Amino acid sequence: MARSPRVVPHLHLCLQSGSDRILRLMKRRYTSGGYLERCDRLKQALDQPAFTTDVIVGFPGETKTTSKRRAGWWREVGFAKIHVFTYSPEPELRRHCCKMLCLMQ
């Protein structure tokens, strides 16, 4: 990827949250430190990579401190685009997904 003139170094890496505590509650298998380390390695390996991500806001247990930490992440990584989603309880999410699948058929 780094050597190909045909490939644009655009990487979508789901962050979800900048808090290790919230990541554990979300049952994610990565830490905030590991995420940053991977981004740094990709920045060294690729010429001006563009990172995009997904973030969930309003997850149960989030605090103002969690929100501030997330904003710090955005600046530190330098995302080209951030997709922000509001947390929704699972039953509501299932209904939404079913509606979307029905519309797609």
Side-chain angles (χ1 to χ4, degrees), residues 45-60:
L46 302 171
D47 183 32
Q48 298 179 336
F51 295 113
T52 58
T53 195
D54 296 325
V55 174
I56 298 173
V57 297
F59 193 84

Side-chain angles (χ1 to χ4, degrees), residues 7-22:
V7 177
V8 175
H10 168 231
L11 302 154
H12 185 82
L13 307 171
C14 296
L15 173 60
Q16 308 290 309
S17 175
S19 162
D20 288 339
R21 184 177 65 81
I22 297 297

Side-chain angles (χ1 to χ4, degrees), residues 9-76:
H10 168 231
L11 302 154
H12 185 82
L13 307 171
C14 296
L15 173 60
Q16 308 290 309
S17 175
S19 162
D20 288 339
R21 184 177 65 81
I22 297 297
L23 289 170
R24 278 193 305 276
L25 290 172
M26 291 178 166
K27 301 194 185 314
R28 299 302 187 259
R29 294 180 287 186
Y30 55 90
T31 64
S32 56
Y35 186 97
L36 272 179
E37 182 182 311
R38 286 178 184 89
C39 289
D40 288 341
R41 284 192 310 212
L42 288 164
K43 285 178 185 179
Q44 292 171 6
L46 302 171
D47 183 32
Q48 298 179 336
F51 295 113
T52 58
T53 195
D54 296 325
V55 174
I56 298 173
V57 297
F59 193 84
E62 274 193 333
T63 62
K64 287 184 180 184
T65 303
T66 309
S67 298
K68 287 179 184 178
R69 191 173 298 138
R70 182 175 42 235
W73 272 83
W74 294 357
R75 285 187 291 279
E76 191 166 344

Side-chain angles (χ1 to χ4, degrees), residues 96-105:
H96 175 72
C97 290
C98 288
K99 280 183 188 177
M100 295 305 293
L101 287 172
C102 289
L103 290 172
M104 293 166 71
Q105 294 177 352

